[in-house]
Amino acid sequence: MKKILVTGATGQLGSELSVLAPAFPQYKWIFADRTKVTLDNLELLHSQLETINPDIIFNGGAYTAVDKAESEKELAFKINHLAVELIAKYSTEKKVKLIHISTDYVFDGASSIALNEEAETSPINVYGESKLAGEIACLKENPESIIIRTSWVYSTFGNNFVKTMQRLMQERDEINVVNDQIGSPTYAADLAQAMIDIIGSAKWIPGIYNYSNEGEISWYKFALSIKKLGGYNCKVVGIPSSSYPTPAKRPSYSLLNKEKIKTVYNLNIPGYKKSLKKMFCLKI
């Protein structure tokens, strides 16, 4: 029985994988939070990997506090770059299959067409820089690894845009949401299923892949979809990013082209409205 190690087990993706895991008893699942797999302590991390001795690693653990990363650059790079480098090196030495999760924030947002895996990377914040460094190190240390770039992740678990909107729309009469950042959300449960589909596939084609739900929208339009599904009376006002300054800049356009992952692994990617509705229907 192959053993799958899931890092970042208490995060959105890790939590969704834990929901799906019982349906796949052919694998032994090891869900590791930061105490079991310590990404900010490299010496300890290596010994932890040796102890767990996995056959497959889903590396979803990361430093994801985008704004905080601007003032915690060293920690962001330790977790998103150096720990990834170590995991990739370990996976090569032990012949472990590795799927590493990355982000649309490796792009600068200057594009006007959906970004494929060959698009030029040029991050505009520390978080994006650290994740790109992790990608480069991952492929250098383990050319047989798979990297999945994703965007705007949400889930019934953890903190995310959807849950924030649900709360604010019940608390306030009016909210402002930026309308000039374009992309597509990713329901973490869909991404989790895609990862399981990949390891269950008869083929393993290494490299970078994009994954998000289908649809091209702004955060404002996403908020309107949340309002409609929730039946909230709150007024949603679209505003430019310049009216909502944050420590870290965000890409203005980071829509991901998913043709590669759909073609190679024959994945059926749901539209964002369908997946959002699925989340709303869950009672957790």
Side-chain angles (χ1 to χ4, degrees):
M1 182 181 289
K2 290 190 175 180
K3 189 188 298 182
I4 300 177
L5 167 63
V6 178
T7 70
T10 58
Q12 296 182 84
L13 181 59
S15 297
E16 295 289 3
L17 281 163
S18 71
V19 171
L20 292 174
F24 298 90
Q26 66 268 42
Y27 303 113
K28 181 178 180 182
W29 295 85
I30 308 293
F31 289 93
D33 61 13
R34 64 188 63 184
T35 62
K36 289 183 181 176
V37 172
T38 312
L39 298 174
D40 60 354
N41 185 328
L42 302 184
E43 288 184 13
L44 183 57
L45 174 59
H46 190 269
S47 64
Q48 289 169 331
L49 292 173
E50 291 277 4
T51 301
I52 296 169
N53 190 30
D55 300 293
I56 299 162
I57 298 175
F58 285 169
N59 188 39
Y63 181 106
T64 58
V66 177
D67 288 321
K68 209 173 177 182
E70 296 296 309
S71 58
E72 293 187 347
K73 184 172 183 177
E74 186 177 349
L75 180 59
F77 268 81
K78 180 177 280 188
I79 295 171
N80 292 345
H81 172 210
L82 299 180
V84 175
E85 184 176 55
L86 188 153
I87 290 170
K89 190 173 184 179
Y90 170 86
S91 63
T92 295
E93 292 171 354
K94 303 292 184 178
K95 294 182 171 55
V96 171
K97 287 185 175 178
L98 171 62
I99 297 182
H100 170 65
I101 302 301
S102 192
T103 174
D104 61 320
Y105 278 33
V106 298
F107 300 112
D108 62 9
S111 178
S112 58
I113 59 170
L115 296 146
N116 65 24
E117 291 79 3
E118 306 302 319
E120 184 180 353
T121 53
S122 182
I124 56 175
N125 57 44
V126 170
Y127 168 69
E129 290 172 0
S130 68
K131 291 295 287 183
L132 179 59
E135 285 188 11
I136 294 167
C138 184
L139 290 176
K140 181 183 177 184
E141 295 296 337
N142 185 353
E144 293 300 307
S145 61
I146 286 175
I147 294 172
I148 301 177
R149 290 176 180 153
T150 190
S151 61
W152 301 16
V153 178
Y154 70 93
S155 166
T156 49
F157 302 96
N159 299 313
N160 55 69
F161 181 81
V162 176
K163 290 172 74 175
T164 298
M165 289 297 103
Q166 288 176 309
R167 175 175 57 81
L168 292 178
M169 286 178 187
Q170 293 175 80
E171 293 175 352
R172 302 181 186 178
D173 295 325
E174 182 176 311
I175 58 171
N176 297 329
V177 182
V178 295
N179 60 8
D180 56 358
Q181 292 175 23
I182 307 298
S184 188
T186 304
Y187 182 32
D190 292 338
L191 176 56
Q193 183 62 60
M195 295 166 72
I196 295 172
D197 288 344
I198 288 172
I199 61 164
S201 169
K203 53 188 171 183
W204 179 269
I205 311 296
I208 298 174
Y209 294 85
N210 293 335
Y211 188 97
S212 68
N213 286 118
E214 298 285 19
E216 178 177 342
I217 58 169
S218 64
W219 288 110
Y220 168 68
K221 285 188 176 179
F222 194 28
L224 291 180
S225 294
I226 294 165
K227 175 185 174 179
K228 184 177 180 180
L229 272 174
Y232 305 122
N233 293 319
C234 177
K235 182 180 179 182
V236 182
V237 180
I239 61 169
S241 298
S242 57
S243 297
Y244 187 72
T246 54
K249 291 181 181 179
R250 266 69 169 174
S252 59
Y253 188 95
S254 60
L255 182 67
L256 300 173
N257 181 314
K258 281 83 67 173
E259 288 308 309
K260 181 180 176 182
I261 201 167
K262 288 193 290 187
T263 301
V264 174
Y265 286 105
N266 196 29
L267 295 183
N268 179 27
I269 301 179
Y272 81 91
K273 287 184 179 179
K274 182 178 179 181
S275 291
L276 182 62
K277 187 175 182 180
K278 185 178 174 184
M279 177 195 163
F280 264 76
C281 291
L282 287 176
K283 305 294 182 185
I284 294 179

